[in-house]
Amino acid sequence: KSKNEHAIFFVITDNYSFAAANMIMSLYKHSPKLMQNMDIIIYHTGISEKNVQLLNQLHKNILYMQVTYPESWRSLVEHPRNALWGSIIIAKLFGFFLIQNYQKVLMLDVDMLITGDISELFEIDEAMAWRRVVIWKATELFKSILKNENDFASGPNGGLILFTDKLKKYGIVPEDIPSAFERVRDLAIEGSKRIDGGNDERLFSW
């Protein structure tokens, strides 16, 4: 177990190693104190030794994790809705399990730009937090399974998700993911002509 209480994780292919490097440099530029006691976890589908060496020059506490999914996740991983982003986005769900080793874990897409100090994110005292998505409405998507007329659902932008150890009380384990996907897989907003949430975003919202 790491001595650090917090971690930031990315999900990349080798081609995005440069973007991960840019993200790390931006984090040091804008949040230098935060990064002093921070683990970085890189989930990847294969990363060259050269890129590992380059990334290791930017931060001393980087853990590299090969993306592998449980067999029970096959229908989720191979679902056609993933085609737009690639099935690698499903690895973002690993944040639910990283909180077994950390107090707070922040998932960041590496194609974003950090332009200010993000330390405040690690002061949030909720089980989860995200930037609310605006392109699709989670309440409309979940309308058929919300219990009450005035119930509200929040949908995330999948590029920034904060997980905290307050999630532990729910006891989320990998075996919960397939059944959750069954609930959200076929939901649709009536009349919508777009993709209403990636599979990762639907599961986070659920």
Side-chain angles (χ1 to χ4, degrees):
K1 186 176 180 179
S2 173
K3 65 179 181 179
N4 292 325
E5 297 178 344
H6 299 157
I8 294 172
F9 80 96
F10 313 135
V11 178
I12 66 169
T13 62
D14 194 35
N15 289 338
Y16 276 81
S17 296
F18 77 94
N22 183 66
M23 177 67 76
I24 293 170
M25 289 187 289
S26 295
L27 288 166
Y28 266 99
K29 178 180 179 180
H30 297 289
S31 307
K33 287 186 65 176
L34 180 71
M35 297 304 292
Q36 289 176 8
N37 298 295
M38 181 71 66
D39 282 354
I40 290 179
I41 301 168
I42 298 181
Y43 284 101
H44 62 91
T45 55
I47 186 167
S48 70
E49 186 59 35
K50 177 181 178 181
N51 283 333
V52 168
Q53 292 175 0
L54 291 171
L55 289 165
N56 285 343
Q57 293 178 29
L58 301 176
H59 188 70
K60 61 182 179 180
N61 298 318
I62 301 182
L63 308 174
Y64 299 89
M65 307 288 287
Q66 184 87 31
V67 173
T68 57
Y69 300 114
E71 178 60 28
S72 61
W73 291 24
R74 180 183 292 272
S75 64
L76 166 60
V77 173
E78 296 181 352
H79 192 273
R81 193 180 291 118
N82 298 330
L84 184 61
W85 304 278
S87 62
I88 193 172
I89 64 169
I90 303 305
K92 296 177 183 182
L93 298 171
F94 293 158
F96 284 119
F97 318 121
L98 287 174
I99 49 95
Q100 297 301 320
N101 298 319
Y102 298 95
Q103 288 185 3
K104 295 180 180 179
V105 176
L106 180 66
M107 192 289 303
L108 294 173
D109 276 353
V110 294
D111 60 355
M112 300 192 302
L113 294 175
I114 302 294
T115 60
D117 189 355
I118 68 164
S119 300
E120 286 185 23
L121 293 175
F122 287 88
E123 298 172 6
I124 293 173
D125 194 30
E126 301 291 341
M128 291 187 73
W130 53 58
R131 188 182 73 161
R132 186 161 61 90
V133 71
V134 296
I135 198 171
W136 59 277
K137 306 297 183 184
T139 300
E140 293 181 34
L141 184 66
F142 288 100
K143 185 176 181 179
S144 63
I145 53 179
L146 292 175
K147 294 181 179 180
N148 303 303
E149 183 179 350
N150 295 324
D151 282 349
F152 172 79
S154 174
N157 176 301
L160 186 155
I161 307 286
L162 178 72
F163 307 80
T164 80
D165 59 2
K166 287 190 174 184
L167 285 166
K168 287 182 178 181
K169 66 182 179 181
Y170 299 108
I172 300 170
V173 294
E175 290 73 22
D176 293 328
I177 301 300
S179 58
F181 183 56
E182 287 293 315
R183 298 297 302 272
V184 303
R185 179 187 59 199
D186 299 323
L187 296 178
I189 297 175
E190 186 176 352
S192 176
K193 297 181 180 180
R194 61 179 181 269
I195 296 178
D196 296 309
N199 286 325
D200 59 324
E201 295 168 335
R202 287 172 174 234
L203 285 164
F204 287 135
S205 189
W206 173 252

